[in-house]
Amino acid sequence: MPDIPWSTPTPPAPGSEVYVMASRFETETLLGAFRFFLKAPGIIRQIRSAPGAHGVALRARIFSRTFLTLSAWQDRDALYRFAASEPHRSSSRAAAAFMRESAFTFWTAPASGLPVAWAEAERRLAEQQARS
């Protein structure tokens, strides 16, 4: 399946730092993966219009039932406001019913480092998983 490439809804201020989140989701079933994938474009659109969003991308591996997300935010509060807003909030709760595993990692980065490379996100997720 094609990835949804990095997009920049609002460029960060030059010289600023951004709050980055990477996530990995694995669904229990292939049906769950299709359900997750069908919801993804709506959530990506929501991020693109969210206050404080500086970037978003999705890596979808439907037949492996695995999804990676990557986003950059003005600060932690901007990310948390987005996560608590609709439709993300309801979609997250509904998706929990068909998730096998989820992992999240957060860090700050210079705005000049955007977009973050998938390899960096995957490395940080692997480190997070090893600590758990």
Side-chain angles (χ1 to χ4, degrees):
M1 276 295 157
D3 296 342
I4 296 175
W6 184 266
S7 65
T8 305
T10 305
S16 65
E17 279 203 331
V18 294
Y19 190 72
V20 180
M21 183 196 79
S23 62
R24 181 181 180 280
F25 300 98
E26 185 178 335
T27 64
E28 287 280 354
T29 66
L30 193 55
L31 177 59
F34 279 105
R35 290 174 65 192
F36 186 97
F37 186 72
L38 290 174
K39 291 283 186 179
I43 302 302
I44 297 292
R45 278 191 302 278
Q46 182 187 1
I47 293 171
R48 288 178 179 157
S49 65
H54 294 311
V56 61
L58 171 74
R59 179 163 276 179
R61 301 297 179 256
I62 293 178
F63 295 107
S64 298
R65 303 182 334 270
T66 303
F67 301 85
L68 298 172
T69 71
L70 189 54
S71 59
W73 300 87
Q74 178 180 335
D75 54 30
R76 186 176 65 100
D77 290 342
L79 169 61
Y80 285 12
R81 279 191 301 275
F82 158 75
S85 66
E86 294 299 339
H88 182 269
R89 182 179 174 195
S90 296
S91 293
S92 295
R93 288 187 176 159
F98 53 83
M99 282 300 148
R100 178 173 177 236
E101 181 180 296
S102 311
F104 303 88
T105 190
F106 309 88
W107 70 97
T108 58
S112 61
L114 295 180
V116 175
W118 281 115
E120 175 71 5
E122 291 179 274
R123 180 186 66 77
R124 288 178 179 266
L125 283 163
E127 288 174 358
Q128 178 70 25
Q129 189 171 18
R131 286 192 296 266
S132 300

